[in-house]
Amino acid sequence: MAYLEIAGLKKSFPRAGAAPLEVLSGLNTKVEEGALLSILGPSGCGKSTLLNIINGLDNATNGSVTLAGIEVTTQTRSDVKISVVFQQPRLLPWQTVRQNVALPLQEMHLHAAEIRERTEKYLKLVGLDEFADYFPLQLSGGMQQRVSLARGLAIEPDLLLADEPFSALDEFSARRLRQEFVRIWAETGKTILFVTHNIREAVFLSTKVLMITTRPARVHLELDVDVPHMRNPDDDELFALEKRITGEFLEMEGGSVA
């Protein structure tokens, strides 16, 4: 049984005086525990809607999302632990790095000793333990994103959702953080869904790439990335996969990239 299964997932939204807006049209995929799945698709294809359903913030019209044997809905969301790393770090500027990471742990009503232990553990994991008493605006954009990742990991989630977390960074910083992200993923063994518009990023990071179509979204391509980690971004095998996926994307888009 897959750790995460998306089965026949459909989502439509009612519209006054018009037919419902169909956003997702029968998505299916299975993800093994500890995998890193990247989701690619054109702008406006429904990736945010998909993440909201996986995160239990909205219900599907039809179909299901099952995580660790639990069907995830708005009613069962509290039965699983899902964290999200967003495009922007979304840190509280008036709180220190340590306080930002500890915030969700306080909301879980953990004991103070466990909060301190987890906060120190995950700041060390992302290489920021020496910056625990800094404020977010004293850090670079890449460092802020690492704080956000530490905060997401500190709740020790069943599933981590990463929603274009490196897209606001310059390419040099993003490339370095991708390598750090793979290291952290390997050390924690977490199951990750990574949404991106960057084909090279998806190929470098993932154990599997899922490409979805324009709205109403369906699966266009599901491809295993059978290149061992740790990977070299300039590996010829990765370049060949990137070229193949780019061709598939152009074919799906009718010859033009959105």
Side-chain angles (χ1 to χ4, degrees):
M1 181 178 180
Y3 182 72
L4 172 68
E5 182 172 4
I6 300 170
L9 198 67
K10 295 184 179 183
K11 181 65 179 179
S12 58
F13 294 95
R15 293 186 291 184
L21 177 65
E22 189 178 4
V23 178
L24 305 178
S25 180
L27 291 181
N28 295 279
T29 193
K30 294 181 180 181
V31 182
E32 300 305 314
E33 187 170 10
L36 200 166
L37 172 72
S38 281
I39 301 175
L40 286 166
S43 297
C45 69
K47 294 188 294 293
S48 295
T49 299
L50 175 60
L51 287 188
N52 285 341
I53 294 172
I54 294 171
N55 198 14
L57 299 177
D58 198 3
N59 288 322
T61 304
N62 292 105
S64 63
V65 172
T66 304
L67 175 63
I70 298 171
E71 184 174 348
V72 182
T73 68
T74 54
Q75 289 74 38
T76 65
R77 187 177 186 274
S78 60
D79 296 333
V80 292
K81 286 189 292 183
I82 300 174
S83 60
V84 184
V85 180
F86 296 97
Q87 181 177 343
Q88 300 296 333
R90 299 190 181 186
L91 304 176
L92 300 179
W94 60 88
Q95 295 202 338
T96 65
V97 165
R98 177 184 283 110
Q99 290 169 330
N100 271 280
V101 174
L103 184 61
L105 304 178
Q106 292 166 350
E107 294 175 351
M108 293 167 64
H109 305 293
L110 300 179
H111 292 300
E114 185 171 0
I115 291 174
R116 285 194 301 272
E117 181 182 342
R118 286 203 200 182
T119 300
E120 291 171 7
K121 173 183 176 180
Y122 288 101
L123 281 176
K124 186 174 183 179
L125 180 68
V126 302
L128 292 177
D129 46 317
E130 295 181 2
F131 296 87
D133 294 318
Y134 281 56
F135 290 92
L137 295 180
Q138 295 176 291
L139 306 179
S140 68
M143 293 170 75
Q144 290 182 40
Q145 199 60 289
R146 280 193 277 163
V147 177
S148 177
L149 178 58
R151 182 180 58 191
L153 290 169
I155 71 166
E156 300 185 343
D158 301 310
L159 178 68
L160 178 69
L161 304 177
D163 190 3
E164 300 188 66
F166 307 142
S167 61
L169 302 175
D170 64 87
E171 181 54 30
F172 179 79
S173 298
R175 183 164 176 157
R176 184 172 57 191
L177 271 181
R178 287 174 199 133
Q179 293 173 319
E180 280 293 290
F181 191 83
V182 169
R183 175 188 64 79
I184 291 164
W185 163 67
E187 288 188 24
T188 61
K190 292 298 176 185
T191 307
I192 299 176
L193 260 61
F194 192 101
V195 171
T196 179
H197 283 93
N198 188 319
I199 294 173
R200 176 168 294 181
E201 179 173 74
V203 169
F204 175 72
L205 293 174
S206 311
T207 57
K208 180 189 287 188
V209 173
L210 186 76
M211 184 189 297
I212 60 178
T213 67
T214 53
R215 193 175 65 234
R218 64 189 186 281
V219 175
H220 178 77
L221 175 70
E222 191 167 8
L223 181 67
D224 291 325
V225 183
D226 294 322
V227 179
H229 284 89
M230 303 288 281
R231 295 170 178 168
N232 183 333
D234 300 317
D235 187 284
D236 287 342
E237 286 184 84
L238 296 180
F239 179 74
L241 285 170
E242 180 186 347
K243 185 176 179 181
R244 175 183 171 185
I245 293 170
T246 300
E248 291 277 357
F249 192 91
L250 289 170
E251 180 182 334
M252 178 183 74
E253 288 288 278
S256 64
V257 179

